[in-house]
Amino acid sequence: MSAPVLVVNSGSSSIKYQLVDGETLQASTSGLIERVGQSESILTHRHGDERTERTAHIADHAAGLEAVVAAFEEHGTPLADAGLIAVAHRVVHGGERFVQPVVVDDEVEAAIDRLSSLAPLHNPANLEGIRVARKLFPRLPQVAVFDTAFHATVPERAHLYAVPASWREDHGVRRYGFHGTSHAYVSRKAAEMLGRHPKEVNVIVAHLGNGASVTAVERGRSIDTSMGLTPLEGLVMGTRSGDIDPAIVFHMHRSTGASFADLDDALNKESGMLALAGQIDMRVVEAAAEGGDRAAQIALEIYCYRIRKYIGAYIAALGGADAIAFTAGIGENSAEVRAGALGSLTALGVRLDEAANAAGGPVISTPGSPITVMVVPTNEEGEIAAQTTALLRN
Ligand code: ADP
């Protein structure tokens, strides 16, 4: 490895990590700690073909990262001998300030903390990972890579909401967008697959995981994206509603007396496919729909219809697209969702090749299709490592 980076994605009760080469984007070791803070935490560690799993009580993120260091010592190369150039941290919200990766110091840490009001579910956990890693690896640069940064190029016409000026000026209310490392990586890969430079092509990326967003990428720059101030806006997701009339919140508050915290939870954690189909896992929803479950069938229709509307809107926003790329758990694996999302876009230049779609691509449109449709596996950790390497070498 010539630029080994330890990439850390620290959530409220989980820590994901990968040892990635920032030049080749290859990961040699990866792992996940689930249920941090609970009595039985699970650490899964993969080194090459070897996979180990153990259960232990991991009380907090500090104990979690120490367990990661120990796992590297037992399986693979100890981190102290890995020649690490940095520890890179995924940070969800960078606000208007962080439009590029940054080396973390005390002032950056405080700024990420202040942005927690915009991402209360994510930034505090990301920050906890940074604080712990700074103590554990005091000699290494800690780099923060932001989910919002790729969307810093979205122009005002797409990022401003038509709301009172003081909301925008004093409270940071605007569209920021998320999944930026994935949209950046996949749009570049899509251009590569077309045999063109990213600056020559317009690509629409549909990142469909538990969280989901669509981005319009014009000549390498994000010009619109479906998530907004927070990841709640846009597509129907596993547990998030995506776009709704905001007056629903006031209506439910008045009708039931539910607090704003309860409504926030309801829209972020109890909506989406969970609310429509009773299931988050798209494989289970698809199987239920196949078996005749009406709620699952309608949920799938709603899910795909929302994606289709965004793709149509972004073809218009871009003045025509060269490629549509599907990525993340659902985008990479569900031929049914891809077909459902693309149905009736024939008039806009999408000709799906059903056999290629069923086989998973990579190209799933017919050879003559004006818009090339493809399946592109995302690599968020690789992109984070690559951006970290580029930052430190500049
Ligand atoms: P996250 O946003 O948590 O990173 P992923 O990108 O891993 O999510 O995507 C998780 C989703 O991918 C789940 O809803 C899961 O059901 C879905 N998924 C994984 N494999 C398949 C498959 N073969 N068919 C349909 N959906 C799948």
Side-chain angles (χ1 to χ4, degrees), residues 69-96:
V69 171
F72 272 93
E73 267 160 24
E74 286 161 31
H75 309 276
T77 313
L79 285 172
D81 305 331
L84 289 182
I85 63 162
V87 182
H89 301 267
R90 175 189 183 204
V91 179
V92 165
H93 218 305
E96 289 202 303

PDB file of all heavy atoms in Angstrom, residues 69-96:
ATOM      1  N   VAL A  69      -8.348  -1.415  17.166  1.00  0.00           N
ATOM      2  CA  VAL A  69      -6.881  -1.518  17.167  1.00  0.00           C
ATOM      3  C   VAL A  69      -6.475  -2.951  17.533  1.00  0.00           C
ATOM      4  O   VAL A  69      -5.605  -3.553  16.885  1.00  0.00           O
ATOM      5  CB  VAL A  69      -6.268  -0.491  18.159  1.00  0.00           C
ATOM      6  CG1 VAL A  69      -4.770  -0.743  18.339  1.00  0.00           C
ATOM      7  CG2 VAL A  69      -6.509   0.931  17.663  1.00  0.00           C
ATOM      8  N   ALA A  70      -7.144  -3.525  18.559  1.00  0.00           N
ATOM      9  CA  ALA A  70      -6.822  -4.896  18.977  1.00  0.00           C
ATOM     10  C   ALA A  70      -7.131  -5.895  17.863  1.00  0.00           C
ATOM     11  O   ALA A  70      -6.363  -6.839  17.636  1.00  0.00           O
ATOM     12  CB  ALA A  70      -7.611  -5.242  20.240  1.00  0.00           C
ATOM     13  N   ALA A  71      -8.240  -5.683  17.142  1.00  0.00           N
ATOM     14  CA  ALA A  71      -8.611  -6.600  16.052  1.00  0.00           C
ATOM     15  C   ALA A  71      -7.547  -6.589  14.959  1.00  0.00           C
ATOM     16  O   ALA A  71      -7.181  -7.637  14.411  1.00  0.00           O
ATOM     17  CB  ALA A  71      -9.975  -6.218  15.479  1.00  0.00           C
ATOM     18  N   PHE A  72      -7.007  -5.406  14.655  1.00  0.00           N
ATOM     19  CA  PHE A  72      -5.931  -5.322  13.651  1.00  0.00           C
ATOM     20  C   PHE A  72      -4.681  -6.056  14.143  1.00  0.00           C
ATOM     21  O   PHE A  72      -3.946  -6.633  13.354  1.00  0.00           O
ATOM     22  CB  PHE A  72      -5.592  -3.860  13.342  1.00  0.00           C
ATOM     23  CG  PHE A  72      -6.436  -3.245  12.247  1.00  0.00           C
ATOM     24  CD1 PHE A  72      -7.594  -2.540  12.554  1.00  0.00           C
ATOM     25  CD2 PHE A  72      -6.080  -3.385  10.921  1.00  0.00           C
ATOM     26  CE1 PHE A  72      -8.372  -1.970  11.555  1.00  0.00           C
ATOM     27  CE2 PHE A  72      -6.851  -2.823   9.899  1.00  0.00           C
ATOM     28  CZ  PHE A  72      -7.999  -2.114  10.225  1.00  0.00           C
ATOM     29  N   GLU A  73      -4.454  -5.994  15.466  1.00  0.00           N
ATOM     30  CA  GLU A  73      -3.268  -6.677  15.992  1.00  0.00           C
ATOM     31  C   GLU A  73      -3.410  -8.197  15.874  1.00  0.00           C
ATOM     32  O   GLU A  73      -2.447  -8.901  15.610  1.00  0.00           O
ATOM     33  CB  GLU A  73      -3.019  -6.264  17.445  1.00  0.00           C
ATOM     34  CG  GLU A  73      -2.051  -5.100  17.480  1.00  0.00           C
ATOM     35  CD  GLU A  73      -2.103  -4.308  18.765  1.00  0.00           C
ATOM     36  OE1 GLU A  73      -2.520  -4.865  19.797  1.00  0.00           O
ATOM     37  OE2 GLU A  73      -1.715  -3.124  18.722  1.00  0.00           O
ATOM     38  N   GLU A  74      -4.635  -8.671  16.046  1.00  0.00           N
ATOM     39  CA  GLU A  74      -4.870 -10.123  15.988  1.00  0.00           C
ATOM     40  C   GLU A  74      -4.958 -10.652  14.552  1.00  0.00           C
ATOM     41  O   GLU A  74      -4.541 -11.755  14.256  1.00  0.00           O
ATOM     42  CB  GLU A  74      -6.153 -10.484  16.734  1.00  0.00           C
ATOM     43  CG  GLU A  74      -5.991 -10.416  18.247  1.00  0.00           C
ATOM     44  CD  GLU A  74      -7.340 -10.308  18.951  1.00  0.00           C
ATOM     45  OE1 GLU A  74      -8.338 -10.837  18.424  1.00  0.00           O
ATOM     46  OE2 GLU A  74      -7.388  -9.677  20.021  1.00  0.00           O
ATOM     47  N   HIS A  75      -5.539  -9.837  13.675  1.00  0.00           N
ATOM     48  CA  HIS A  75      -5.767 -10.304  12.294  1.00  0.00           C
ATOM     49  C   HIS A  75      -5.317  -9.223  11.322  1.00  0.00           C
ATOM     50  O   HIS A  75      -5.928  -8.166  11.235  1.00  0.00           O
ATOM     51  CB  HIS A  75      -7.253 -10.586  12.044  1.00  0.00           C
ATOM     52  CG  HIS A  75      -7.861 -11.458  13.075  1.00  0.00           C
ATOM     53  ND1 HIS A  75      -7.788 -12.829  13.024  1.00  0.00           N
ATOM     54  CD2 HIS A  75      -8.537 -11.158  14.214  1.00  0.00           C
ATOM     55  CE1 HIS A  75      -8.402 -13.331  14.080  1.00  0.00           C
ATOM     56  NE2 HIS A  75      -8.860 -12.352  14.817  1.00  0.00           N
ATOM     57  N   GLY A  76      -4.265  -9.525  10.585  1.00  0.00           N
ATOM     58  CA  GLY A  76      -3.782  -8.556   9.599  1.00  0.00           C
ATOM     59  C   GLY A  76      -2.597  -7.803  10.141  1.00  0.00           C
ATOM     60  O   GLY A  76      -1.892  -8.282  11.026  1.00  0.00           O
ATOM     61  N   THR A  77      -2.394  -6.600   9.638  1.00  0.00           N
ATOM     62  CA  THR A  77      -1.243  -5.797  10.054  1.00  0.00           C
ATOM     63  C   THR A  77      -1.653  -4.906  11.214  1.00  0.00           C
ATOM     64  O   THR A  77      -2.653  -4.204  11.108  1.00  0.00           O
ATOM     65  CB  THR A  77      -0.813  -4.869   8.885  1.00  0.00           C
ATOM     66  OG1 THR A  77      -0.768  -5.653   7.691  1.00  0.00           O
ATOM     67  CG2 THR A  77       0.532  -4.220   9.135  1.00  0.00           C
ATOM     68  N   PRO A  78      -0.890  -4.911  12.317  1.00  0.00           N
ATOM     69  CA  PRO A  78      -1.207  -3.948  13.381  1.00  0.00           C
ATOM     70  C   PRO A  78      -1.192  -2.525  12.805  1.00  0.00           C
ATOM     71  O   PRO A  78      -0.337  -2.208  11.968  1.00  0.00           O
ATOM     72  CB  PRO A  78      -0.070  -4.146  14.384  1.00  0.00           C
ATOM     73  CG  PRO A  78       0.457  -5.520  14.111  1.00  0.00           C
ATOM     74  CD  PRO A  78       0.250  -5.763  12.646  1.00  0.00           C
ATOM     75  N   LEU A  79      -2.131  -1.700  13.258  1.00  0.00           N
ATOM     76  CA  LEU A  79      -2.228  -0.354  12.676  1.00  0.00           C
ATOM     77  C   LEU A  79      -0.938   0.439  12.853  1.00  0.00           C
ATOM     78  O   LEU A  79      -0.581   1.252  12.003  1.00  0.00           O
ATOM     79  CB  LEU A  79      -3.413   0.395  13.295  1.00  0.00           C
ATOM     80  CG  LEU A  79      -4.788  -0.058  12.787  1.00  0.00           C
ATOM     81  CD1 LEU A  79      -5.902   0.606  13.588  1.00  0.00           C
ATOM     82  CD2 LEU A  79      -4.939   0.235  11.299  1.00  0.00           C
ATOM     83  N   ALA A  80      -0.225   0.161  13.975  1.00  0.00           N
ATOM     84  CA  ALA A  80       1.022   0.900  14.229  1.00  0.00           C
ATOM     85  C   ALA A  80       2.062   0.617  13.143  1.00  0.00           C
ATOM     86  O   ALA A  80       2.950   1.436  12.884  1.00  0.00           O
ATOM     87  CB  ALA A  80       1.576   0.516  15.591  1.00  0.00           C
ATOM     88  N   ASP A  81       1.951  -0.560  12.482  1.00  0.00           N
ATOM     89  CA  ASP A  81       2.928  -0.923  11.441  1.00  0.00           C
ATOM     90  C   ASP A  81       2.365  -0.756  10.029  1.00  0.00           C
ATOM     91  O   ASP A  81       2.988  -1.178   9.059  1.00  0.00           O
ATOM     92  CB  ASP A  81       3.345  -2.397  11.607  1.00  0.00           C
ATOM     93  CG  ASP A  81       3.875  -2.681  12.992  1.00  0.00           C
ATOM     94  OD1 ASP A  81       4.437  -1.738  13.599  1.00  0.00           O
ATOM     95  OD2 ASP A  81       3.709  -3.822  13.471  1.00  0.00           O
ATOM     96  N   ALA A  82       1.173  -0.198   9.920  1.00  0.00           N
ATOM     97  CA  ALA A  82       0.518  -0.160   8.604  1.00  0.00           C
ATOM     98  C   ALA A  82       0.966   1.029   7.754  1.00  0.00           C
ATOM     99  O   ALA A  82       0.576   1.141   6.596  1.00  0.00           O
ATOM    100  CB  ALA A  82      -1.006  -0.120   8.786  1.00  0.00           C
ATOM    101  N   GLY A  83       1.784   1.904   8.341  1.00  0.00           N
ATOM    102  CA  GLY A  83       2.240   3.071   7.580  1.00  0.00           C
ATOM    103  C   GLY A  83       1.121   4.054   7.283  1.00  0.00           C
ATOM    104  O   GLY A  83       1.133   4.744   6.258  1.00  0.00           O
ATOM    105  N   LEU A  84       0.141   4.140   8.194  1.00  0.00           N
ATOM    106  CA  LEU A  84      -1.015   5.027   7.978  1.00  0.00           C
ATOM    107  C   LEU A  84      -0.575   6.454   7.687  1.00  0.00           C
ATOM    108  O   LEU A  84       0.313   6.979   8.362  1.00  0.00           O
ATOM    109  CB  LEU A  84      -1.910   5.058   9.222  1.00  0.00           C
ATOM    110  CG  LEU A  84      -2.739   3.825   9.582  1.00  0.00           C
ATOM    111  CD1 LEU A  84      -3.571   4.115  10.825  1.00  0.00           C
ATOM    112  CD2 LEU A  84      -3.631   3.441   8.413  1.00  0.00           C
ATOM    113  N   ILE A  85      -1.220   7.088   6.693  1.00  0.00           N
ATOM    114  CA  ILE A  85      -0.938   8.509   6.469  1.00  0.00           C
ATOM    115  C   ILE A  85      -1.968   9.384   7.183  1.00  0.00           C
ATOM    116  O   ILE A  85      -1.745  10.570   7.386  1.00  0.00           O
ATOM    117  CB  ILE A  85      -0.874   8.875   4.963  1.00  0.00           C
ATOM    118  CG1 ILE A  85      -2.221   8.633   4.269  1.00  0.00           C
ATOM    119  CG2 ILE A  85       0.240   8.113   4.259  1.00  0.00           C
ATOM    120  CD1 ILE A  85      -2.339   9.377   2.938  1.00  0.00           C
ATOM    121  N   ALA A  86      -3.129   8.787   7.544  1.00  0.00           N
ATOM    122  CA  ALA A  86      -4.167   9.583   8.210  1.00  0.00           C
ATOM    123  C   ALA A  86      -5.276   8.677   8.708  1.00  0.00           C
ATOM    124  O   ALA A  86      -5.409   7.535   8.277  1.00  0.00           O
ATOM    125  CB  ALA A  86      -4.761  10.594   7.237  1.00  0.00           C
ATOM    126  N   VAL A  87      -6.073   9.210   9.626  1.00  0.00           N
ATOM    127  CA  VAL A  87      -7.366   8.618   9.942  1.00  0.00           C
ATOM    128  C   VAL A  87      -8.396   9.574   9.337  1.00  0.00           C
ATOM    129  O   VAL A  87      -8.339  10.785   9.572  1.00  0.00           O
ATOM    130  CB  VAL A  87      -7.587   8.490  11.464  1.00  0.00           C
ATOM    131  CG1 VAL A  87      -8.934   7.832  11.749  1.00  0.00           C
ATOM    132  CG2 VAL A  87      -6.455   7.694  12.099  1.00  0.00           C
ATOM    133  N   ALA A  88      -9.279   9.034   8.512  1.00  0.00           N
ATOM    134  CA  ALA A  88     -10.284   9.889   7.848  1.00  0.00           C
ATOM    135  C   ALA A  88     -11.652   9.584   8.434  1.00  0.00           C
ATOM    136  O   ALA A  88     -12.004   8.426   8.642  1.00  0.00           O
ATOM    137  CB  ALA A  88     -10.282   9.622   6.346  1.00  0.00           C
ATOM    138  N   HIS A  89     -12.407  10.635   8.698  1.00  0.00           N
ATOM    139  CA  HIS A  89     -13.712  10.469   9.327  1.00  0.00           C
ATOM    140  C   HIS A  89     -14.812  10.966   8.411  1.00  0.00           C
ATOM    141  O   HIS A  89     -14.732  12.072   7.884  1.00  0.00           O
ATOM    142  CB  HIS A  89     -13.772  11.277  10.625  1.00  0.00           C
ATOM    143  CG  HIS A  89     -12.728  10.867  11.616  1.00  0.00           C
ATOM    144  ND1 HIS A  89     -12.963   9.935  12.587  1.00  0.00           N
ATOM    145  CD2 HIS A  89     -11.426  11.242  11.758  1.00  0.00           C
ATOM    146  CE1 HIS A  89     -11.865   9.758  13.304  1.00  0.00           C
ATOM    147  NE2 HIS A  89     -10.913  10.543  12.818  1.00  0.00           N
ATOM    148  N   ARG A  90     -15.835  10.131   8.265  1.00  0.00           N
ATOM    149  CA  ARG A  90     -17.016  10.601   7.549  1.00  0.00           C
ATOM    150  C   ARG A  90     -17.796  11.516   8.496  1.00  0.00           C
ATOM    151  O   ARG A  90     -18.119  11.120   9.615  1.00  0.00           O
ATOM    152  CB  ARG A  90     -17.885   9.418   7.152  1.00  0.00           C
ATOM    153  CG  ARG A  90     -19.156   9.854   6.516  1.00  0.00           C
ATOM    154  CD  ARG A  90     -20.099   8.706   6.313  1.00  0.00           C
ATOM    155  NE  ARG A  90     -21.285   9.187   5.630  1.00  0.00           N
ATOM    156  CZ  ARG A  90     -22.452   8.578   5.700  1.00  0.00           C
ATOM    157  NH1 ARG A  90     -22.591   7.480   6.389  1.00  0.00           N
ATOM    158  NH2 ARG A  90     -23.489   9.076   5.066  1.00  0.00           N
ATOM    159  N   VAL A  91     -18.071  12.730   8.038  1.00  0.00           N
ATOM    160  CA  VAL A  91     -18.906  13.646   8.816  1.00  0.00           C
ATOM    161  C   VAL A  91     -20.103  14.007   7.955  1.00  0.00           C
ATOM    162  O   VAL A  91     -19.953  14.383   6.786  1.00  0.00           O
ATOM    163  CB  VAL A  91     -18.124  14.911   9.229  1.00  0.00           C
ATOM    164  CG1 VAL A  91     -19.024  15.862  10.010  1.00  0.00           C
ATOM    165  CG2 VAL A  91     -16.901  14.534  10.068  1.00  0.00           C
ATOM    166  N   VAL A  92     -21.293  13.869   8.526  1.00  0.00           N
ATOM    167  CA  VAL A  92     -22.485  14.029   7.698  1.00  0.00           C
ATOM    168  C   VAL A  92     -22.698  15.477   7.286  1.00  0.00           C
ATOM    169  O   VAL A  92     -22.868  15.779   6.105  1.00  0.00           O
ATOM    170  CB  VAL A  92     -23.721  13.441   8.425  1.00  0.00           C
ATOM    171  CG1 VAL A  92     -25.015  13.900   7.774  1.00  0.00           C
ATOM    172  CG2 VAL A  92     -23.646  11.915   8.367  1.00  0.00           C
ATOM    173  N   HIS A  93     -22.657  16.410   8.251  1.00  0.00           N
ATOM    174  CA  HIS A  93     -23.021  17.790   7.891  1.00  0.00           C
ATOM    175  C   HIS A  93     -21.848  18.745   7.984  1.00  0.00           C
ATOM    176  O   HIS A  93     -21.270  18.921   9.046  1.00  0.00           O
ATOM    177  CB  HIS A  93     -24.154  18.286   8.785  1.00  0.00           C
ATOM    178  CG  HIS A  93     -25.141  19.138   8.052  1.00  0.00           C
ATOM    179  ND1 HIS A  93     -24.760  20.259   7.348  1.00  0.00           N
ATOM    180  CD2 HIS A  93     -26.476  19.032   7.880  1.00  0.00           C
ATOM    181  CE1 HIS A  93     -25.842  20.801   6.786  1.00  0.00           C
ATOM    182  NE2 HIS A  93     -26.899  20.064   7.087  1.00  0.00           N
ATOM    183  N   GLY A  94     -21.500  19.362   6.878  1.00  0.00           N
ATOM    184  CA  GLY A  94     -20.429  20.354   6.862  1.00  0.00           C
ATOM    185  C   GLY A  94     -20.951  21.774   6.755  1.00  0.00           C
ATOM    186  O   GLY A  94     -20.165  22.729   6.698  1.00  0.00           O
ATOM    187  N   GLY A  95     -22.287  21.921   6.694  1.00  0.00           N
ATOM    188  CA  GLY A  95     -22.874  23.262   6.605  1.00  0.00           C
ATOM    189  C   GLY A  95     -22.336  24.021   5.398  1.00  0.00           C
ATOM    190  O   GLY A  95     -21.922  23.424   4.402  1.00  0.00           O
ATOM    191  N   GLU A  96     -22.323  25.358   5.498  1.00  0.00           N
ATOM    192  CA  GLU A  96     -21.821  26.161   4.372  1.00  0.00           C
ATOM    193  C   GLU A  96     -20.312  26.287   4.430  1.00  0.00           C
ATOM    194  O   GLU A  96     -19.678  26.627   3.446  1.00  0.00           O
ATOM    195  CB  GLU A  96     -22.455  27.554   4.413  1.00  0.00           C
ATOM    196  CG  GLU A  96     -23.926  27.496   4.045  1.00  0.00           C
ATOM    197  CD  GLU A  96     -24.473  28.823   3.567  1.00  0.00           C
ATOM    198  OE1 GLU A  96     -24.370  29.793   4.333  1.00  0.00           O
ATOM    199  OE2 GLU A  96     -25.013  28.859   2.445  1.00  0.00           O
TER     200      GLU A  96
END
